Amino acid sequence: MPARYLVGIDLGTTNCALAYVDSADRAWGVCDFPIQQLVAPNTVERRDGLPSVHYEPAVEEMDSLALSLPWTAPDASPAFAVGLLAGERGSSAPHRTITSMKSWLSHSGVDRTAALLPWHGTSDVSRLSPVEASARLLDHLRSAWDHAFPEHPLSQQELILTVPAGFDEVARELTVQAAILAGVGHAILVEEPQAAFYAWINAHRDDWHSRVSPGDRILICDVGGGTSDFSLIRVKPAGDGKVMFHRVAVGEHLILGGDNLDLALAHHLESKLGGELDPRAWGALLRSARRAKETMLADESLASMTVNIAGGGSGLIGGSRQVELSAAEVEGVLVEGFLPACAIDESPSARRSGFQEFGLPYAPDPGITRYLAAFLRAHRDAGIDPGERRSGQDPLRPEWILFNGGLFESPRLRKRLLEVMGGWFGGAAPRVLDNDRLDLAVARGAAYYAMVRRGLGTRIAGGSAHSYYVGIESADSTARAVCLLPAGIEEGHGVDLLDRQFTLRIREPVEFPLYQSSLRTTDAPGAVLAVDPLAMTALPPIRTVLQSGRKSAADTVTVTLHVRRTEIGTLELWCAEAVGSRRWKLQFDVRSPVGRSLADATSPGASQGTLDEQTVARGTALIRATFMRSADRKTESPQSLMGSLERVSQIARADWPATLMRTFWETLMEVEPGRAICDAHEIRWLNLTGYCLRPGYGLAVDDWRVGQTWKLFAQRLRHPRNEQSRAEWWILWRRLAGGLTQGQQQTLAEPLLAEWRTWLRKSGQNVRGRDSTFQFGNHESTEVWRLLGSLELLDVTTKLELGGMALELIGRGTKMRAIRAGALFALGRLGARTPVYGPLNALVPRDTAGEWAIELMRISGPASTPETAFTLMQLTRRTHDRHRDVDDPTRAAAIEHLQGAGASEHLISLISSGGELAAVEQRAAFGESLPRGLRIE
């Protein structure tokens, strides 16, 4: 039986809302659902919206905060809150608060399934992934609904969930995962601008057809707390004097909205206070700036207001402070800054704005009007049939505009955008379609859309807003792609590319580069074209090993591609054997950040190519001859293998192309049993394998290669009594550390941490026998500490303990001189303000890094070694992120210390001003040279 209730949920950046239709009511209408939530401790009330805020109180707060809700089990003790109370409490404790979940869900530069929020959270706060944080909001909505309608649980109703129009496929998939995790089932997705327009149709269901005319264009301008989305709808004739709506264009997803206005105003107020505030004071200032923004933009009669910034202790701004904010300042910072007057042919700047406080990839240019101008130019002819354009109609000017999103709650900002657009079109700004509740429109429209899916109401035609492509290899090495699915495909439909066949490798790693485009909407399925980076956006590639049967040998099959837009609004891609019955479903790599994926696919290392096949064959033959026993000949000498490989390739090892080294790695894995021949063979095999696979990422399917190598960890060493073998064992894992998972890094670190903990407690007494893998020799210990410092995915608590140990070893003076370099390397990497490859959320706190720097200066005295100077730079390097940078006095002390020690000017400038590492500094940060074409920050 069809579900009785049709429910629309707006999972917003700032607020969530829920609306529904009771299909049992013949005179059906869209109803708002007031959401029960905590508004104060032990106080539950209904509100139209649920603030998109998650707050985890500290242990000492739990007794004073009664977090139980009407549906909480009697014996349960909730450890977090979402909604209004979470927002109130979180405003004074941002380090315990998660906001802007939806922006993080679309952040292609991070692993969106990793527990990384709150971004600058304290060590005692439970971390959540963007998916989990979004699921907690949805779970609250589900519980509130089930409490109100116990006989009709939300999981059994028809649910429509809204997403930004520019969401990439991974963000859409993850939104669906969040709904499943919250227990609401498989939600159907609809784009927010469309939902807002559906709300307008519903509000005017009796006369909307008389309000617009065929040929009209309707711009939906949706700017919320975290994102900006533009959509264009054309009004087309439908016969019998009626009209229909056709969505013809969407803009790129921009992380640009109310959060950016808050940051800009806070920076302005900070400059008036004089000096840079520390993170806690900055949090208070940011909250005050948000309230000031809302007040001043809502009331144009205000000439000025006093902004109160709460103090937070002696280390902040000395208690409460006040600063005057005038209407002219608001006009300059917010109105002119984000809705600047510009020409219709003006384009957004690619220069970063600098407002990156939240760690999110904000749009480079804050000028929303410039993005809008570029959108209208890019889609001036979108959806126009031959002869459809009316006489005298400006191809760029939309006849109507529908405002949506929290930013346009401000009449001043709506008026400003119309003024700018009027300047583009000779004073003829678009007419405004009324939208009385911008905070509820998207949820209402989603519920209405559910009825449209049942054949009632008015549908907006248009289908998929993007065309989709898969990259293919070409004979001339040009980046080419095949169009998989053109824009306009409706949900539940797809394309079978039967006329084009592809060769596919199975049982070995393969990569499928994927792209989407909102600009190329007319490419035909199966069309082969050059990749246009200006019009095609890369998605995380699909990287996998396609298995079949019990065989292990690689094989080649001929396949055709089958693509489908699912009913819930996501993309499916299948490879089907052209002659045979085997089929493989390809899954998006939702864990892979696009930033790194793009670096892998386009890095100089990947584009260097390989040597000719004969040269490569001679090199691999040398490796086999070294590690494979033969009845009719002796093995080659492992000591001379490196030199021999340089001779046959005629390239010094430091200049070997990364692709050649990965080929050598494949051969080394084939001959891995040969490391058991003798000590020298194991030493050479470990050394060359790590060298060829370093740094564990950088080329396609490196994650698979590292995974295959990791299988050797359980086998341990063949010759554990040889200290050089043991040292090379740790060097191997250090070289691959960037490609290891957090769990693998923890597996490496925990036993070593336990042994060093015991060693330090017993004042250096050897605590292990001679057959132990680790025996605390000087060379081996140095390499162990270099490995421990390279494990950037370790949890902060582990890093804090390791850093303390490293400082203790450094402080023991001459007794530890032999391993001092390794301990310094570890301290620098563990406390670095800019990691080599790890996420920023895994950094140790800024205060800890500062304390380590001060202690290091005390230990080393005025005569710092180059290793000490470099470690001090890593601890105090300026990033211009107040949540990472050490305080000004510590930075000044580090500069003075290095100047006195005669350190290089560039090293000192990295502390005073920031900047990029020089080549020699990159080598020091990584621990050795990187493959050609790869660099670190």
Side-chain angles (χ1 to χ4, degrees):
M1 293 290 293
R4 174 173 173 175
Y5 292 99
L6 295 86
V7 181
I9 292 180
D10 174 13
L11 184 64
T13 305
T14 307
N15 285 284
C16 299
L18 189 152
Y20 66 95
V21 172
D22 184 354
S23 64
D25 182 0
R26 290 191 176 183
W28 62 273
V30 176
C31 304
D32 299 325
F33 179 77
I35 303 163
Q36 284 188 293
Q37 58 193 284
L38 287 160
V39 298
N42 208 28
T43 304
V44 177
E45 295 180 3
R46 288 180 171 85
R47 293 287 192 271
D48 287 342
L50 177 77
S52 303
V53 184
H54 179 284
Y55 178 71
E56 180 183 322
V59 174
E60 58 269 20
E61 287 184 273
M62 291 302 296
D63 292 338
S64 62
L65 280 182
L67 300 182
S68 293
L69 290 153
W71 50 84
T72 303
D75 57 343
S77 299
F80 65 89
V82 300
L84 195 62
L85 175 64
E88 290 294 327
R89 288 283 174 164
S91 65
S92 58
H95 53 286
R96 311 193 69 85
T97 309
I98 301 174
T99 58
S100 303
M101 292 85 150
K102 188 165 68 177
S103 295
W104 284 101
L105 206 62
S106 66
H107 189 343
S108 61
V110 299
D111 177 356
R112 291 170 259 188
T113 65
L116 50 84
L117 301 176
W119 183 243
H120 292 297
T122 54
S123 58
D124 64 324
V125 177
S126 302
R127 300 290 180 128
L128 300 177
S129 70
V131 177
E132 292 168 325
S134 301
R136 289 200 173 173
L137 294 174
L138 291 171
D139 181 70
H140 183 100
L141 296 176
R142 178 192 59 78
S143 299
W145 173 274
D146 291 353
H147 183 72
F149 298 96
E151 296 181 0
H152 303 279
L154 188 60
S155 61
Q156 297 177 20
Q157 308 315 304
E158 187 170 331
L159 178 63
I160 307 295
L161 192 57
T162 65
V163 294
F167 251 22
D168 66 29
E169 287 306 306
V170 174
R172 290 171 184 263
E173 293 274 3
L174 294 178
T175 303
V176 172
Q177 286 186 23
I180 295 172
L181 187 61
V184 300
H186 282 276
I188 296 166
L189 304 182
V190 66
E191 295 165 6
E192 289 163 5
Q194 281 200 74
F197 191 67
Y198 274 126
W200 180 84
I201 294 174
N202 177 59
H204 301 281
R205 63 167 72 183
D206 296 327
D207 65 347
W208 62 259
H209 56 278
S210 64
R211 291 172 175 258
V212 295
S213 304
D216 282 357
R217 290 155 302 184
I218 302 167
L219 169 68
I220 304 174
C221 195
D222 184 358
V223 185
T227 60
S228 294
D229 271 307
F230 308 124
S231 292
L232 199 59
I233 291 177
R234 287 193 177 272
V235 184
K236 293 179 175 284
D240 299 328
K242 296 182 179 180
V243 296
M244 61 180 289
F245 299 111
H246 189 79
R247 195 280 316 282
V248 295
V250 300
E252 295 300 319
H253 185 58
L254 301 172
I255 299 185
L256 176 62
D259 289 347
N260 300 79
L261 273 71
D262 299 339
L263 283 169
L265 191 57
H267 277 285
H268 175 74
L269 293 173
E270 183 183 43
S271 68
K272 296 187 71 172
L273 288 169
E276 183 175 296
L277 304 181
D278 69 24
R280 189 178 295 272
W282 169 257
L285 176 61
L286 187 60
R287 294 189 298 275
S288 299
R290 182 177 297 118
R291 290 191 291 268
K293 175 200 72 175
E294 294 167 353
T295 302
M296 295 290 283
L297 289 179
D299 187 353
E300 292 188 61
S301 66
L302 281 176
S304 66
M305 70 175 290
T306 301
V307 181
N308 295 300
I309 299 101
S314 60
L316 304 184
I317 46 181
S320 296
R321 290 277 300 275
Q322 294 182 338
V323 61
E324 286 296 310
L325 180 66
S326 68
E329 289 173 289
V330 171
E331 181 77 15
V333 175
L334 301 184
V335 181
E336 293 291 342
F338 287 87
L339 295 172
C342 64
I344 186 64
D345 59 355
E346 196 167 334
S347 296
S349 168
R351 179 180 57 83
R352 305 300 300 181
S353 68
F355 297 150
Q356 304 297 307
E357 299 285 350
F358 295 160
L360 289 167
Y362 292 124
D365 190 329
I368 295 171
T369 45
R370 284 189 281 269
Y371 287 104
L372 178 57
F375 169 77
L376 293 175
R377 294 198 310 273
H379 300 287
R380 61 184 297 154
D381 296 318
I384 296 181
D385 295 328
E388 182 183 281
R389 181 172 290 148
R390 297 191 296 242
S391 175
Q393 188 178 35
D394 188 329
L396 292 177
R397 177 182 175 272
E399 281 70 29
W400 299 92
I401 185 170
L402 178 70
F403 290 110
N404 193 57
L407 190 82
F408 292 117
E409 294 280 4
S410 164
R412 177 71 191 95
L413 296 183
R414 295 197 301 270
K415 177 182 175 183
R416 171 64 173 194
L417 183 60
L418 292 173
E419 289 172 352
V420 174
M421 295 188 72
W424 293 345
F425 307 118
R431 290 171 289 173
V432 178
L433 297 176
D434 58 292
N435 187 358
D436 64 328
R437 288 295 299 269
L438 275 68
D439 56 332
L440 301 178
V442 169
R444 290 172 175 177
Y448 178 85
Y449 173 66
M451 292 300 289
V452 170
R453 286 175 52 84
R454 290 196 177 183
L456 301 173
T458 301
R459 174 182 287 272
I460 303 170
S464 169
H466 300 91
S467 297
Y468 293 90
Y469 309 82
V470 63
I472 59 172
E473 294 182 3
S474 60
D476 59 1
S477 299
T478 302
R480 297 188 181 278
V482 173
C483 181
L484 296 173
L485 201 67
I489 292 289
E490 299 284 351
E491 286 78 7
H493 294 78
V495 172
D496 299 319
L497 301 181
L498 300 178
D499 295 334
R500 187 173 292 280
Q501 296 184 343
F502 302 87
T503 300
L504 181 67
R505 297 286 293 177
I506 61 174
R507 305 191 195 96
E508 71 173 27
V510 291
E511 178 179 76
F512 300 87
L514 295 171
Y515 308 89
Q516 70 177 21
S517 176
S518 61
L519 298 176
R520 303 184 64 98
T521 57
T522 59
D523 292 327
V528 178
L529 57 148
V531 173
D532 180 359
L534 297 179
M536 300 164 69
T537 302
L539 296 171
I542 293 173
R543 292 170 174 170
T544 187
V545 178
L546 303 176
Q547 302 290 356
S548 180
R550 297 182 179 179
K551 296 180 180 179
S552 60
D555 196 5
T556 300
V557 295
T558 300
V559 299
T560 55
L561 299 180
H562 304 261
V563 196
R564 183 171 176 266
R565 193 76 182 168
T566 69
E567 287 81 358
I568 63 173
T570 58
L571 190 71
E572 280 187 356
L573 176 59
W574 291 79
C575 293
E577 197 171 13
V579 181
S581 58
R582 291 180 291 183
R583 287 166 56 89
W584 295 270
K585 182 181 179 180
L586 304 180
Q587 298 282 355
F588 284 100
D589 186 2
V590 297
R591 298 187 63 87
S592 174
V594 167
R596 172 161 302 178
S597 300
L598 284 175
D600 293 350
T602 63
S603 70
S607 64
Q608 287 177 37
T610 58
L611 302 179
D612 63 273
E613 292 186 11
Q614 262 190 335
T615 302
V616 175
R618 285 197 295 268
T620 55
L622 277 171
I623 295 172
R624 290 190 178 92
T626 302
F627 293 102
M628 293 182 68
R629 295 180 184 271
S630 175
D632 58 351
R633 61 173 172 78
K634 295 181 179 179
T635 60
E636 296 293 325
S637 167
Q639 291 89 341
S640 62
L641 178 58
M642 278 290 204
S644 299
L645 290 173
E646 287 181 317
R647 283 194 298 274
V648 299
S649 65
Q650 298 184 350
I651 301 175
R653 71 191 72 175
D655 295 327
W656 284 345
T659 48
L660 174 64
M661 288 191 286
R662 297 315 192 249
T663 302
F664 286 168
W665 170 86
E666 294 175 8
T667 307
L668 286 161
M669 294 301 290
E670 291 177 21
V671 302
E672 181 272 329
R675 67 185 173 105
I677 296 173
C678 69
D679 293 0
H681 280 82
E682 180 157 55
I683 292 168
R684 176 52 63 208
W685 190 92
L686 293 170
N687 177 274
L688 185 55
T689 300
Y691 188 82
C692 287
L693 196 47
R694 74 190 200 288
Y697 59 90
L699 265 71
V701 297
D702 268 350
D703 53 350
W704 178 85
R705 295 185 182 99
V706 172
Q708 294 298 108
T709 310
W710 177 254
K711 293 177 181 179
L712 302 176
F713 182 76
Q715 300 177 19
R716 313 300 294 184
L717 284 166
R718 300 286 194 248
H719 304 279
R721 295 190 179 187
N722 185 292
E723 183 180 3
Q724 184 62 34
S725 287
R726 296 194 306 272
E728 291 293 346
W729 175 255
W730 305 121
I731 291 170
L732 167 69
W733 302 118
R734 171 177 60 78
R735 284 170 159 168
L736 308 190
L740 297 173
T741 66
Q742 184 180 28
Q744 289 166 345
Q745 292 195 4
Q746 205 74 31
T747 299
L748 278 166
E750 285 175 352
L752 295 171
L753 178 60
E755 293 190 23
W756 274 103
R757 192 184 293 129
T758 304
W759 190 93
L760 287 167
R761 188 174 65 247
K762 294 191 175 186
S763 299
Q765 180 181 343
N766 197 340
V767 296
R768 300 299 298 269
R770 287 186 55 77
D771 290 333
S772 169
T773 300
F774 179 45
Q775 296 184 19
F776 293 94
N778 288 338
H779 178 37
E780 182 184 7
S781 294
T782 297
E783 295 303 339
V784 162
W785 276 104
R786 285 157 62 86
L787 165 64
L788 290 170
S790 300
L791 303 179
E792 293 186 353
L793 302 185
L794 294 177
D795 62 81
V796 173
T797 302
T798 302
K799 287 183 176 181
L800 293 176
E801 184 177 5
L802 285 170
M805 287 183 176
L807 264 176
E808 183 176 348
L809 290 172
I810 296 166
R812 290 195 176 188
T814 56
K815 292 182 179 180
M816 292 291 105
R817 179 174 297 173
I819 67 171
R820 181 184 173 93
L824 282 168
F825 177 88
L827 185 67
R829 286 287 293 272
L830 291 166
R833 302 298 80 203
T834 300
V836 171
Y837 63 85
L840 297 181
N841 56 286
L843 296 184
V844 301
R846 64 192 290 270
D847 292 341
T848 300
E851 291 166 4
W852 288 354
I854 292 169
E855 179 64 12
L856 180 60
M857 287 185 281
R858 186 194 68 79
I859 291 170
S860 61
S864 289
T865 65
E867 293 85 0
T868 303
F870 190 79
T871 298
L872 186 58
M873 180 278 293
Q874 289 181 293
L875 296 173
T876 59
R877 181 180 174 188
R878 190 168 198 137
T879 68
H880 300 284
D881 178 347
R882 72 187 74 237
H883 293 278
R884 285 192 279 161
D885 288 343
V886 299
D887 58 39
D888 289 339
T890 302
R891 185 183 304 109
I895 293 171
E896 183 180 359
H897 185 89
L898 293 188
Q899 287 173 336
S904 71
E905 286 298 322
H906 188 253
L907 209 63
I908 294 171
S909 71
L910 289 170
I911 300 175
S912 62
S913 307
E916 295 187 348
L917 299 179
V920 66
E921 294 160 348
Q922 292 183 49
R923 178 187 177 99
F926 179 61
E928 62 180 309
S929 65
L930 284 161
R932 285 182 65 84
L934 294 179
R935 62 167 288 113
I936 60 177
E937 296 265 333

